[in-house]
Each structure stands twice: as structure tokens, then as C-alpha cells.
Amino acid sequence: MALPRLATREQLVAVLRKAGVRDERVLEAIRRVPREAFIPERLRPWACDNIALPIGDQQTISQPYVVACMIEALHLAGTEHVLEIGTGSGYGAAVAAEMAGDVVTIEILASLAKAAAPRLKELAPNVTVIQGDGSLGWPEFAPYDAIIITANSPTLPRPVLRQLTNHGRLVAPIGSLKEQQLVVVERSETRFTTRDLGPVRFVPLIGAGGFQLLDPARRN
Ligand code: SAM
């Protein structure tokens, strides 16, 4: 039987730095957020490995490198109002919350939203968890200085882009169920500028603006 991995957060930070994460504030946020608190107990020995892990409901906590790259691409200064679409375990929201003013995070699956809410209340009190379909954004609390979509969207969703402030940034995986690119979009007064950050693999964004995959009964 393979021995459990017992990497530390400090080792994870070293791995991310070597992999190309440059922003020291992002690395510090990764150092501070206890990833082990966001995963099932049986998987805790792997909490500080740079890998995605299952969190139930066929969903995953993202690979720390991907979380770091996405947050780095947003250029957060510490005061921003952030929207995250796809709470999952809540880990990404907690890391973003270390570097922003506040984070509103939307999760479509009730079981995951329910599990993430108390965890985030304790570990990242500037995060608000909402259960619902975030595929068209969350206009109630718009505009946002930064938006993170943590599930693969079939297109760059216009209604979500319109919820960005001027000079706001959005980061999202965009593509088909087979191939996706991580994309960062910056809004200016007159246009949206898009840049590719490379290929990635995410679970699909479902709901009105996403892929039509989920039995609606599973949302509640
Ligand atoms: N960053 C998260 C973490 O650290 O655990 C991982 C997010 S997981 C890769 C993507 C999440 O997006 C899943 O929990 C999935 O249920 C959620 N999701 C998919 N479509 C959604 C939608 N339309 N609105 C909100 N959440 C959605």
C-alpha cells in the first residue's frame, strides 16, 4: 500500500513558486488557507499536494496551481468586490478572500453550498455563500471588480461580463466538454480585451448559461 503523502503548505508554496506563480501575495494566501479543512477527512493526507481532489457530487476542489494562476490573473489589490461562480469546497473563495475586500460565491449544488457555508463563515468571514445558478452571474450584488468562474463555460458569458466594473477582470475556463482554455478578460471603457493563459480541465458549468446537463431536482 502506498504511504500517505504528508506535504506541508510551505512545501506546496515552493512547488507553486517553481511552477511559475510569481505574486507573493497569492503565495502568502495559499500559505494561510488550511486546504485540509475543505476536503473530505479521508483525503486529508493529500491536502497539500498540488492536485485536484474529489469533494462529492462528482465535483472537485481545484488544483492549487490552477487556483493560484486564476487569482494571480485578477491582479487583486486587497479592496475588491469579487464574484466567484462555482463555490465547490469553498477553498478558492477563501484564497481569493485573503486578497480582496469581499467575495460573493455562488454554488448550484445545494449539498456543496450547505457544506461550504459554515466552513467559510469560520475561516473567511468576508465570503458570502449563495446557493443558486450563477451561470448568468449574480446581478443583485453587481458590479464586481473581479469575477472568477471555476467551471468550464461553453462561451464567454456576455451577461456575466456586463457585471464587471470598468477596468474589472474576469478569469474563466472556456471551451467544449473536451477542450478548454483558461481565459482572462479585462474590461475598459470601450471594449473587452481577452488573453489565453493555456489549456485546462474543469468540470462543466451547468445551468441557464452553461451546459444543459443537470437534472434540476438535484439542485435542491
Ligand atoms: N474552486 C472550487 C474549490 O476550490 O473547491 C472548485 C470549484 S469546482 C471545480 C466547480 C464548481 O462549480 C462545482 O462545485 C459545481 O457544482 C459548480 N457549478 C457548476 N455550474 C454552476 C452554476 N451554474 N452556478 C454555480 N455553480 C456552478
Side-chain angles (χ1 to χ4, degrees), residues 108-133:
I108 200 165
L109 297 178
S111 58
L112 294 181
K114 258 186 216 148
R119 211 178 265 157
L120 286 165
K121 194 171 175 194
E122 186 190 336
L123 295 167
N126 54 340
V127 177
T128 303
V129 181
I130 294 170
Q131 195 241 314
D133 177 4

Side-chain angles (χ1 to χ4, degrees), residues 59-62 86-89 91-92 106-108 112 133-134 150 206:
Q59 304 303 319
T60 53
I61 181 172
S62 305
T87 312
S89 68
Y91 175 71
I106 319 290
E107 172 55 53
I108 200 165
L112 294 181
D133 177 4
T150 73
I206 53 178

Side-chain angles (χ1 to χ4, degrees), residues 13-46:
V13 165
V15 167
L16 299 188
R17 186 176 276 125
K18 203 166 170 198
V21 180
R22 293 275 167 266
D23 186 334
E24 285 301 324
R25 293 178 58 246
V26 175
L27 293 170
E28 181 56 24
I30 297 274
R31 191 179 281 120
R32 289 169 64 95
V33 176
R35 191 168 184 248
E36 60 276 12
F38 294 84
I39 59 178
E41 207 165 334
R42 69 191 159 81
L43 298 176
R44 287 195 181 154
W46 291 272

Side-chain angles (χ1 to χ4, degrees), residues 83 134-139 142 144 147 155-164 170 187 209:
L83 174 67
S135 62
L136 299 175
W138 206 260
Y144 304 98
I147 300 178
T155 57
L156 256 180
R158 289 274 144 192
V160 182
L161 286 174
R162 281 197 288 270
Q163 291 168 37
L164 276 177
L170 171 146
R187 181 176 198 170

